[in-house]
Amino acid sequence: MKFSLEFKEAVLQLSEKEKDKLLIRLLKKDHNLVNRLFFELLDDKNVDDHRAIMEEHVLTRGKEITSYARSLQHLKVLTGFLSGDIAEHVRVTKDKFGEVSLNLLMLNTVLKSSDSLFQKTNRNHARKFCLYVITRTFRCLVLIKKMHEDLLLEFEAPLEELADLISEKPLLMQTAINHGLDLNWLNAENIPEDIAQIQKQIKAQGFLR
């Protein structure tokens, strides 16, 4: 929502007591803002601490959901919830590095134990899960390319692992090919400079959807 200059000036002219009342009322309605302010003002843990906690959560939860998912379609739903946990962490901490590292960890953890699900899930349901994985992978590559080059080495191992896991699963590999993902890009040094534009063009052609 955009506010006019006049409105902003009017709000700033309110008394401190009126501002305090409005702030508390707004906080009661905005859970994300409350978490964000708590992290910035009171939390004794920093971004790295919270990322470490999330890494343990992703590893544990990723193994759990893969073990009791009934199909790849079910796994896609459960993975979506875990992805939501990562997104909440990013919203609160503004952890851009963690947005990539945690998503790569999630994908690798889930894919490591999903062979039996690939064998017993019909191709249509498998296709939806595979598309989810490839779409997430593309997003990670786009985000990595925006980071400082000094950080690229940090993603080398998880990207290589993800490339191996995708190539080991024929349906997943075929989905990557069909939607324009070159596994050679799953190396921080090989990510195209225009990866964001490539992703945009592929979406414009009706893929990655």
Side-chain angles (χ1 to χ4, degrees):
M1 182 184 296
K2 293 184 178 180
F3 302 114
S4 67
L5 180 60
E6 292 78 9
F7 178 75
K8 292 179 182 179
E9 291 177 347
V11 170
L12 292 175
Q13 292 302 317
L14 292 172
S15 69
E16 292 300 319
K17 184 176 181 180
E18 290 175 313
K19 290 179 184 177
D20 291 344
K21 287 181 179 179
L22 286 174
L23 177 60
I24 296 301
R25 288 176 63 184
L26 290 172
L27 287 175
K28 288 180 179 179
K29 298 180 180 180
D30 194 332
H31 177 72
N32 290 330
L33 180 57
V34 171
N35 288 337
R36 175 67 182 167
L37 288 176
F38 179 86
F39 172 72
E40 291 184 344
L41 302 175
L42 298 173
D43 203 333
D44 58 354
K45 299 183 183 65
N46 60 27
V47 174
D48 292 340
D49 295 331
H50 279 281
R51 187 189 307 136
I53 293 171
M54 277 303 302
E55 286 172 355
E56 289 298 320
H57 174 66
V58 170
L59 279 171
T60 301
R61 188 59 180 156
K63 294 173 182 176
E64 288 177 351
I65 63 178
T66 310
S67 67
Y68 64 69
R70 299 185 298 273
S71 66
L72 286 179
Q73 185 179 36
H74 188 205
L75 182 59
K76 176 181 177 295
V77 174
L78 297 174
T79 304
F81 291 137
L82 182 53
S83 176
D85 294 339
I86 296 173
E88 173 68 10
H89 162 78
V90 175
R91 278 194 296 270
V92 171
T93 64
K94 304 302 181 184
D95 184 10
K96 295 300 183 182
F97 181 91
E99 184 174 9
V100 177
S101 66
L102 292 169
N103 271 285
L104 290 176
L105 179 62
M106 177 186 70
L107 292 176
N108 287 335
T109 301
V110 168
L111 289 176
K112 283 179 186 176
S113 306
S114 61
D115 286 346
S116 62
L117 293 176
F118 271 91
Q119 293 171 7
K120 68 181 183 181
T121 304
N122 68 56
R123 292 183 66 88
N124 183 52
H125 289 170
R127 182 190 65 79
K128 294 177 181 178
F129 174 77
C130 290
L131 181 57
Y132 177 85
V133 171
I134 300 307
T135 301
R136 282 274 153 183
T137 301
F138 246 115
R139 175 166 173 74
C140 286
L141 295 178
V142 171
L143 291 174
I144 290 173
K145 202 60 186 175
K146 294 179 180 179
M147 295 183 182
H148 193 281
E149 59 182 12
D150 291 347
L151 296 173
L152 300 186
L153 188 61
E154 301 289 337
F155 301 112
E156 185 174 311
L159 283 174
E160 182 179 348
E161 182 178 18
L162 181 56
D164 290 341
L165 288 167
I166 291 174
S167 65
E168 290 169 1
K169 296 172 173 57
L171 284 175
L172 195 50
M173 184 65 194
Q174 189 60 52
T175 304
I177 294 171
N178 291 345
H179 291 267
L181 176 65
D182 186 340
L183 292 193
N184 291 317
W185 297 343
L186 271 67
N187 179 309
E189 295 183 354
N190 294 340
I191 302 174
E193 292 292 334
D194 60 342
I195 184 65
Q197 185 62 28
I198 292 173
Q199 181 197 44
K200 184 177 180 180
Q201 291 174 349
I202 291 174
K203 284 185 175 181
Q205 295 169 9
F207 298 99
L208 296 176
R209 300 176 184 276

